[in-house]
Amino acid sequence: MDKKQYGWAICMACALLLFCTAGLAQTGFSAYQPYLTRIGGLTNTQASTVVLFRNLFGLAGMLAVTPLIRRFEVRRIVTCGILLCGVSFLAYGFSRSFFGYCGAAALSGCALGLGGMIPASVLISRWFNEHRGLALGICMAATGLSVIVASPIITLLVSRVSL
């Protein structure tokens, strides 16, 4: 595979990364909100506080990601980000208390910082001299696509199986 074709493979991998970290765990989180109050037993204030924790830890992750990329390889940082995203969903699934949901939200916020747009932009910039904007646009479109594709599936699964 030549560099041009491999660049598009990197673009699709970054789109999948953003589909999960920025889409499922962040943008599409509103699909989980009513179930956190109804099934999770949280009040509306607590459910909103979970989002606050996610956003605060997302900010911390975004502030930390650039120094981490300088110190470690960007692939390792992205791998940690996607693993944190998976662990955060496991933590959400096993949580039975407000503090458990806050911990899961902190993990998903860190996942966004470590596996979000900043490292995806670094990867795209390394592989694209031309069509960089197009590649970044495709990656960002994956976050919206996750809401369109995953939200109905999530709603169906939660209503039929459980949160």
Side-chain angles (χ1 to χ4, degrees), residues 99-146:
F99 294 108
Y101 289 119
C102 286
L107 290 173
S108 68
C110 289
L112 173 66
L114 298 179
M117 196 60 205
I118 296 171
S121 297
V122 169
L123 285 169
I124 294 296
S125 295
R126 288 183 182 177
W127 286 96
F128 283 88
N129 292 324
E130 297 175 357
H131 307 296
R132 187 177 295 165
L134 174 63
L136 285 170
I138 290 169
C139 291
M140 283 307 298
T143 63
L145 183 65
S146 73

Side-chain angles (χ1 to χ4, degrees), residues 68-69 72-79 114 118-120 122-123 126:
L68 287 172
I69 288 173
F72 303 104
E73 196 173 310
V74 69
R75 289 182 299 175
R76 290 184 182 179
I77 302 301
V78 167
T79 302
L114 298 179
I118 296 171
V122 169
L123 285 169
R126 288 183 182 177

Side-chain angles (χ1 to χ4, degrees), residues 86-111:
V87 169
S88 74
F89 277 111
L90 283 173
Y92 279 123
F94 288 114
S95 292
R96 298 293 176 251
S97 69
F98 168 66
F99 294 108
Y101 289 119
C102 286
L107 290 173
S108 68
C110 289

